[in-house]
Amino acid sequence: GVVPHVEANDSSVTMIFAAQNVIKMLQQQQYQDRQEESRLYPFLSDLQVNEIDARKRFEMEVFPDEHAVDSYKCYHDLTGTHPNLSFTVGDFVSTYSQQSKQNQYDVVATSFFIDTATNIYEYIYIMKHMLSTNGIWVNCGPVQWHPCALLRPTVEQLKDMLQVAGFELISWSVADEAVAYRHPDDVGGKGLEARYTRSEAYRPLRFVARLLSSQDDGSSSNNDLPLKIQYSEFLNEVANGKIEVN
């Protein structure tokens, strides 16, 4: 069968470095048949001051967690190989708007990502540029637009934007249950004692969208991507007062 290749992208070198080290720990477990893990105390220097139980500040977390270990082992048992995973470090817009990225991906997954857009149209343009015909876009995460966002569409408006852009929505839903931003026991419930007197939570937007084939060969749409990105960046600068329009 076809062995999939997964490419991960992040603008943070620190995040990529941490991910690579976790992957190495999982690989060593397969080779050495022993548990490789690290321990940390994530709440020890927490700036939150509305804790309920002081003992929770000294709780320890272990990684990779059992879900990562089980998933890695399952993949290795099925294929006899390690996952084919690579990393790219850089801004999403500048990295994936390049001509070399055109129609190169069958599936793109975005997690806790789309609401980081300054202009959401940029992300939609690039998704169309990256995906092959009938390519799949899978998303999970909040729609809590960052302060730098110039456009803050509602979930329903975002749905319309994707459909107009040429995506078929296979599934689209907003979770009924809120998920804590920081830790599962932030808000309590399900047998967990609440960690804080106040906490933030979100209801993630989950969707699966398929890029439909265009009526033409799609060359005009792809060739003018740099112009679309440039125009979006121009609007960003106008909105931020960096450029005056008479």
Side-chain angles (χ1 to χ4, degrees), residues 171-183:
S171 66
W172 183 279
S173 65
V174 175
D176 294 328
E177 184 176 343
V179 180
Y181 262 105
R182 291 158 47 89
H183 194 275

Side-chain angles (χ1 to χ4, degrees), residues 36-48:
E36 292 282 340
E37 61 183 31
S38 292
R39 297 174 174 83
L40 56 83
Y41 296 84
F43 307 103
L44 197 59
S45 57
D46 196 350
L47 297 179
Q48 293 276 18

Side-chain angles (χ1 to χ4, degrees), residues 45-56:
S45 57
D46 196 350
L47 297 179
Q48 293 276 18
V49 293
N50 59 342
E51 294 165 305
I52 297 175
D53 188 345
R55 293 172 296 179
K56 283 183 172 289

Side-chain angles (χ1 to χ4, degrees), residues 42 51 58-59 76 116 120 128-129 149 167 176 184 208 213 243:
E51 294 165 305
F58 301 95
E59 289 183 345
H76 188 271
T116 66
I120 186 59
K128 293 187 64 177
H129 176 73
F167 285 93
D176 294 328
V208 178
S213 58
I243 295 179

Side-chain angles (χ1 to χ4, degrees), residues 11-189:
S11 60
S12 169
V13 176
T14 303
M15 293 292 287
I16 293 295
F17 177 77
Q20 285 181 319
N21 275 274
V22 171
I23 293 295
K24 288 180 180 178
M25 293 171 68
L26 292 170
Q27 290 176 342
Q28 289 173 357
Q29 289 190 44
Q30 294 296 324
Y31 285 127
Q32 302 173 5
D33 195 27
R34 65 185 178 86
Q35 187 75 12
E36 292 282 340
E37 61 183 31
S38 292
R39 297 174 174 83
L40 56 83
Y41 296 84
F43 307 103
L44 197 59
S45 57
D46 196 350
L47 297 179
Q48 293 276 18
V49 293
N50 59 342
E51 294 165 305
I52 297 175
D53 188 345
R55 293 172 296 179
K56 283 183 172 289
R57 176 159 292 225
F58 301 95
E59 289 183 345
M60 179 185 67
E61 296 289 341
V62 177
F63 69 92
D65 60 25
E66 60 182 12
H67 299 295
V69 173
D70 291 343
S71 297
Y72 197 97
K73 185 178 185 301
C74 181
Y75 182 92
H76 188 271
D77 291 344
L78 287 173
T79 65
T81 63
H82 297 290
N84 189 5
L85 176 65
S86 64
F87 298 90
T88 61
V89 182
D91 173 69
F92 174 76
V93 172
S94 59
T95 299
Y96 291 98
S97 61
Q98 299 176 25
Q99 191 66 25
S100 61
K101 301 296 186 181
Q102 180 178 335
N103 306 131
Q104 294 299 304
Y105 302 89
D106 297 318
V107 179
V108 175
T110 50
S111 177
F112 291 79
F113 176 68
I114 60 174
D115 57 357
T116 66
T118 302
N119 187 331
I120 186 59
Y121 279 112
E122 286 185 322
Y123 284 8
I124 296 175
Y125 293 153
I126 293 172
M127 288 297 176
K128 293 187 64 177
H129 176 73
M130 296 169 59
L131 286 169
S132 57
T133 300
N134 293 320
I136 300 296
W137 178 3
V138 181
N139 176 79
C140 180
V143 186
Q144 182 171 316
W145 304 104
H146 284 204
C148 64
L150 303 179
L151 300 176
R152 296 180 172 87
T154 65
V155 170
E156 287 301 313
Q157 289 171 332
L158 180 61
K159 181 179 182 179
D160 292 339
M161 292 165 72
L162 293 186
Q163 290 176 317
V164 170
F167 285 93
E168 175 193 9
L169 301 179
I170 300 172
S171 66
W172 183 279
S173 65
V174 175
D176 294 328
E177 184 176 343
V179 180
Y181 262 105
R182 291 158 47 89
H183 194 275
D185 66 0
D186 278 6
V187 295

